[in-house]
Amino acid sequence: MARPTAIVIGAGAGGIGVAARLAKNGFHVTVVEKNNSIGGRCSLLHHKDYRFDQGPSLLLMPELFEEIFEDLDTTLEKEYVELKKCNPNYRIWFPDQQTIDLSSDLTHMKHEVERFEGKQSFARFLDFLREAGHHYRLSVSLVLRSNFLSLWNMLRPNLLCSLCSLHPFESIHSRASRYFRSRQLQQAFTFGSMYLGMSPFDAPATYSLLQYAEIVDGIWYPIGGFQTVLESLARVGTRLGVQYRLNCPVSTIKLSEDQRTAEGVVLRSGEVINADVVIVNADLTYAYNHLLPPSKYAKSLKSRQTSCSSISFFWSLDTTIPALQNHNVFLAEEYRESFDAIFKELCMPAEPSFYVHVPNRLDPSASPEGKDAVVVLVPVGHLSGENGNITSSTKYWDSVVTKARSQVLEIIERRTGVSDLNQKIIHEMIETPLSWRSKYNLDRGAILGLSHSFFNVLSFRPRNRHADINGLYFVGASTHPGTGVPICLAGSKLLSNIVSVPLANDSHRKMYHREHK
């Protein structure tokens, strides 16, 4: 009996994960990738002996990474993936020159929390952690382990009974304010919503699960850069028979004459690759609007709430900045206003909050000895208007980048005490919403896909299986269960189960009919 065949469009985390899983389940899998390397936004940038993580730079929820390797009969260690734990998790730099180091060391956290809120505050911190842990456990069991293929799936008794305790209709900030009285701690335990591309004043309180994951499991960094994890996973898939084809952009998904069944893909070169199933790991909104026939649903996706974008700077320094930790967050004086500018006005704030990563604090291979590789991520509004055309001029973004760069340099200098930072930069690379859109076909340049507001999750989120086209599936940030590398890897497991079962049943039916003719 011939092996079933699958085409995966895109070699991001979800695509790499589902390809390996399907290969283990007996599929012949081909992955076609637009760019010249795997990993998508998890790719690395290089300048001479400097290395930068283009996208994710911290590894959360390590059990989900361990799980996929174990499901494929191997381990991270066997695949030579070395994870190092960050300590501290972050250094947060406040506008008043104060800092706080967040850590998974509870003794350290007791000191830090009491420093801002007094002797009775640690008990409130533990209460917050207990609630965040409840959010984490329920979200993993009820969301990451479950498919939501119809609205009826929202009526599962265990989900309905737990919904209120997940606090989905309160914001992270309002919920954290119940436990923390100081502005500093309210901000320290809510800025993480930026991982979801959302404002802490809008993100559901459920996502305090991120703070729980960071404090209890810690933050980790893969030696060699984040892409090494996905490269290792791709090698496992290759051993199982997955074929990777790079520099192979897809022009359209091939459908049957009645347009009810996916039959493969047509590459931009004109080559046709046939398959029993097609799995899309490209940006979902892009795929619906550019790889499939026009539809009302495809058009509706372009008006859905989506995540923010970013201006990212990649600096090769001729020295080090000792005050900077592996992960640093610089918060704006006008905290709420800075998020409102990004998510409501779709622009760069008057004073930005931003993230700084210095990988060589944990991994000396990221830069020459005595020199820092620095990544600065400044969240900004996504591109707006039809096809993102209102703010799509290069001239406009050149001016925004110039302003952002100047502000970032001034803020880092003022808060860390370093001087003449601009003179220490010997090389610079920059990403903007325009380049994110161009490189990865990201709708509106949104770096984290669709938003995670309540009506963009569970059964409301675009589903893993196309409603009308048989054999067409989706995996990645904008489909269930959501954005983030560990979440996309969890999604690859859910999807492989959806794809494998009907194909297996169909094969058994065909075999039965052949044997009983």
Side-chain angles (χ1 to χ4, degrees):
M1 183 173 64
R3 294 167 64 192
T5 56
I7 295 286
V8 180
I9 304 173
I16 292 169
V18 78
R21 289 183 179 280
L22 288 180
K24 189 187 176 194
N25 290 346
F27 281 73
H28 182 275
V29 184
T30 302
V31 180
V32 288
E33 164 58 42
K34 168 181 182 279
N35 294 305
N36 62 6
S37 65
I38 67 164
R41 282 156 279 179
C42 293
S43 299
L44 296 172
L45 296 177
H46 296 270
H47 166 249
K48 296 184 177 178
D49 293 329
Y50 294 83
R51 188 195 69 235
F52 308 89
D53 292 279
Q54 184 175 219
S57 55
L58 41 84
L59 190 147
L60 299 177
M61 306 172 74
E63 73 273 17
L64 293 179
F65 291 86
E66 292 165 356
E67 178 181 81
I68 188 168
F69 281 88
E70 289 169 3
D71 288 349
L72 297 169
D73 302 322
T74 185
T75 65
L76 288 161
E77 293 77 12
K78 289 179 181 177
E79 302 304 325
Y80 305 103
V81 177
E82 181 184 358
L83 301 181
K84 276 197 175 180
K85 191 174 184 180
C86 302
N87 188 26
N89 290 347
Y90 304 94
R91 176 163 292 171
I92 300 177
W93 302 78
F94 296 108
D96 60 4
Q97 304 300 102
Q98 294 191 84
T99 64
I100 183 172
D101 286 351
L102 300 186
S103 171
S104 56
D105 180 336
L106 287 185
T107 302
H108 171 84
M109 286 305 300
K110 182 175 187 296
H111 175 267
E112 289 289 78
V113 169
E114 290 179 349
R115 184 162 62 89
F116 284 93
E117 300 206 350
K119 292 296 182 183
Q120 306 305 316
S121 59
F122 189 62
R124 295 198 306 274
F125 165 75
L126 293 178
D127 288 340
F128 169 79
L129 203 59
R130 189 176 299 110
E131 178 176 285
H134 181 69
H135 291 166
Y136 181 92
R137 288 185 292 274
L138 284 180
S139 296
V140 169
S141 62
L142 300 180
V143 181
L144 297 189
R145 307 294 188 195
S146 302
N147 285 309
F148 288 81
L149 298 176
S150 75
L151 285 173
W152 294 107
N153 295 141
M154 294 276 287
L155 302 180
R156 294 170 182 153
N158 56 353
L159 178 61
L160 290 176
C161 291
S162 302
L163 194 59
C164 288
S165 67
L166 286 168
H167 305 104
F169 303 112
E170 289 185 73
S171 73
I172 288 179
H173 193 274
S174 67
R175 197 73 196 170
S177 298
R178 294 171 179 255
Y179 297 98
F180 305 111
R181 296 169 183 167
S182 66
R183 171 183 56 83
Q184 290 92 340
L185 292 192
Q186 289 171 3
Q187 294 176 0
F189 291 103
T190 61
F191 77 85
S193 65
M194 289 194 292
Y195 299 154
L196 303 170
M198 296 185 72
S199 164
F201 299 93
D202 297 322
T206 311
Y207 297 119
S208 66
L209 63 88
L210 291 169
Q211 282 70 45
Y212 174 83
E214 291 173 352
I215 292 168
V216 174
D217 291 327
I219 291 176
W220 301 79
Y221 186 72
I223 298 303
F226 207 103
Q227 189 180 28
T228 60
V229 179
L230 297 185
E231 287 175 339
S232 297
L233 188 55
R235 285 197 298 271
V236 175
T238 300
R239 291 203 303 265
L240 293 168
V242 178
Q243 180 186 11
Y244 279 88
R245 296 185 57 180
L246 306 180
N247 298 307
C248 284
V250 171
S251 65
T252 188
I253 293 170
K254 180 187 175 188
L255 302 179
S256 58
E257 285 189 19
D258 61 5
Q259 297 197 330
R260 297 300 301 273
T261 302
E263 296 184 338
V265 298
V266 180
L267 302 182
R268 198 169 293 170
S269 65
E271 180 184 355
V272 177
I273 307 176
N274 296 313
D276 297 311
V277 297
V278 176
I279 298 165
V280 178
N281 184 223
D283 181 84
L284 182 136
T285 303
Y286 172 86
Y288 266 96
N289 282 276
H290 295 273
L291 303 183
L292 291 167
S295 67
K296 289 183 179 178
Y297 184 73
K299 189 174 181 179
S300 73
L301 289 174
K302 296 183 74 64
S303 60
R304 281 221 195 185
Q305 275 188 306
T306 195
S307 63
C308 64
S309 191
S310 79
I311 297 170
S312 295
F313 299 97
F314 305 89
W315 291 336
S316 304
L317 302 189
D318 64 5
T319 186
T320 63
I321 306 176
L324 293 177
Q325 298 295 311
N326 195 356
H327 303 294
N328 306 265
V329 176
F330 290 78
L331 296 178
E333 175 71 43
E334 303 298 334
Y335 185 66
R336 180 163 193 157
E337 288 79 359
S338 70
F339 285 106
D340 286 347
I342 295 167
F343 295 100
K344 294 181 179 178
E345 300 168 29
L346 301 182
C347 63
M348 195 186 86
E351 179 191 355
S353 295
F354 57 92
Y355 162 75
V356 177
H357 178 222
V358 189
N360 43 301
R361 294 293 178 270
L362 278 180
D363 183 0
S365 69
S367 63
E369 185 177 356
K371 300 178 182 180
D372 279 345
V374 176
V375 179
V376 179
L377 188 154
V378 184
V380 296
H382 59 71
L383 301 173
S384 60
E386 182 66 23
N387 297 319
N389 286 333
I390 290 178
T391 54
S392 287
S393 75
T394 302
K395 183 177 180 181
Y396 171 83
W397 282 105
D398 284 346
S399 67
V400 175
V401 166
T402 299
K403 178 184 176 183
R405 188 181 191 277
S406 175
Q407 288 183 302
V408 164
L409 289 169
E410 189 275 327
I411 290 170
I412 293 177
E413 288 183 348
R414 175 161 41 89
R415 298 192 196 176
T416 67
V418 67
S419 59
D420 298 321
L421 179 55
N422 187 50
Q423 303 304 314
K424 298 175 177 22
I425 300 171
I426 59 175
H427 187 266
E428 176 180 74
M429 294 177 281
I430 302 172
E431 299 284 6
T432 72
L434 297 181
S435 60
W436 292 124
R437 183 175 66 177
S438 173
K439 277 188 176 182
Y440 302 111
N441 293 329
L442 301 183
D443 177 58
R444 289 167 276 179
I447 56 175
L448 294 165
L450 294 178
S451 166
H452 280 71
S453 58
F454 182 77
F455 290 103
N456 257 339
V457 296
L458 305 176
S459 294
F460 302 116
R461 198 164 188 82
R463 294 163 196 169
N464 303 103
R465 184 172 61 201
H466 196 285
D468 302 313
I469 300 175
N470 296 320
L472 181 57
Y473 302 88
F474 302 89
V475 67
S478 290
T479 190
H480 177 75
T483 196
V485 176
I487 308 306
C488 290
L489 293 179
S492 76
K493 185 170 188 173
L494 293 174
L495 182 59
S496 66
N497 292 335
I498 297 173
V499 173
S500 298
V501 171
L503 256 285
N505 291 341
D506 187 54
S507 297
H508 290 151
R509 283 195 298 271
K510 289 178 181 177
M511 184 184 298
Y512 178 87
H513 289 307
R514 282 199 301 269
E515 291 174 351
H516 291 81
K517 272 188 177 181

